[in-house]
């Protein structure tokens, strides 16, 4: 429903992504909010290889708001080229590129300063190839990408 490609993600935008404002709150009662909330609270299909807090603690975590990033410069200059490069790399192996199979939703933990840069900076903003481990320091300490939000939240990132 949310999509696994830049074009599908952009269909929810309320702007062309060229405005100075980049963050737009998703209405709490909307289907978009419900879908994102469900993805956020979902448990991984496979058991995690890391220690987690008890399930009751995760159930008490509240989603206060959801904001959609609408930044055309980052979408056109970073996300779409990365997506197209991935598709070409798969297809160069005589495989069919399948969004949702070769792409995935991931969760990102960062502090407030890093989030501002990620949202607003088209050059150094969100860089998929800059992912690292807990010890990585490009955007500060934290987990850059995780398969489930609970890992990011339990780690206090």
């Amino acid at each position: 429903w949310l999509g696994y490609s830049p074009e599908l993600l952009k269909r929810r935008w309320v702007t062309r992504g060229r405005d100075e404002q980049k963050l737009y709150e998703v209405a709490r009662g909307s289907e978009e909010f419900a879908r994102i909330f469900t993805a956020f609270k979902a448990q991984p299909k496979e058991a995690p290889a890391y220690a987690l807090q008890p399930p009751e603690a995760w159930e008490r975590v509240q989603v206060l708001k959801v904001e959609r990033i609408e930044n055309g410069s980052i979408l056109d200059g970073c996300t779409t080229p990365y997506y197209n490069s991935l598709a070409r790399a798969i297809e160069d192996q005589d495989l069919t590129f399948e969004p949702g199979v070769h792409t995935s939703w991931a969760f990102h933990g960062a502090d407030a300063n890093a989030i501002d840069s990620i949202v607003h900076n088209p050059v150094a903003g969100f860089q998929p190839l800059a992912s690292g481990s807990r010890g990585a320091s490009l955007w500060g300490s934290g987990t850059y990408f995780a398969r489930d939000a609970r890992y990011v939240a339990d780690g206090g990132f």
Side-chain angles (χ1 to χ4, degrees):
W1 188 87
L2 294 169
Y4 293 99
S5 69
E7 309 85 50
L8 291 176
L9 294 175
K10 195 172 180 179
R11 69 189 165 148
R12 305 262 171 242
W13 288 16
V14 295
T15 70
R16 295 184 60 211
R18 305 291 179 207
D19 298 348
E20 191 163 321
Q21 179 180 345
K22 304 297 182 200
L23 289 174
Y24 295 85
E25 190 163 347
V26 175
R28 184 169 282 279
S30 69
E31 183 177 8
E32 182 179 9
F33 185 97
R35 298 280 184 146
I36 293 167
F37 177 86
T38 299
F40 181 81
K41 291 294 246 177
Q43 297 295 323
K45 292 179 183 178
E46 300 85 21
Y50 45 84
L52 294 172
Q53 294 180 22
E56 308 79 55
W58 180 241
E59 292 304 317
R60 288 192 302 270
V61 170
Q62 295 181 4
V63 175
L64 302 178
K65 70 178 175 177
V66 172
E67 293 179 306
R68 181 187 329 98
I69 300 171
E70 297 184 14
N71 188 326
S73 296
I74 290 176
L75 185 79
D76 296 340
C78 175
T79 307
T80 300
Y82 178 78
Y83 178 86
N84 292 338
S85 174
L86 175 64
R88 277 191 307 276
I90 298 293
E91 291 165 353
D92 284 350
Q93 299 174 63
D94 293 325
L95 299 170
T96 302
F97 176 69
E98 298 180 50
V101 172
H102 298 110
T103 58
S104 173
W105 282 92
F107 294 89
H108 182 72
D111 66 23
N113 291 330
I115 290 171
D116 185 62
S117 178
I118 291 165
V119 169
H120 293 96
N121 190 330
V123 175
F126 192 69
Q127 296 292 326
L129 296 177
S131 66
S133 66
R134 268 188 171 179
S137 60
L138 182 62
W139 295 114
S141 63
T143 300
Y144 287 95
F145 298 97
R147 68 176 181 176
D148 57 285
R150 186 174 173 190
Y151 176 74
V152 177
D154 278 359
F157 305 114

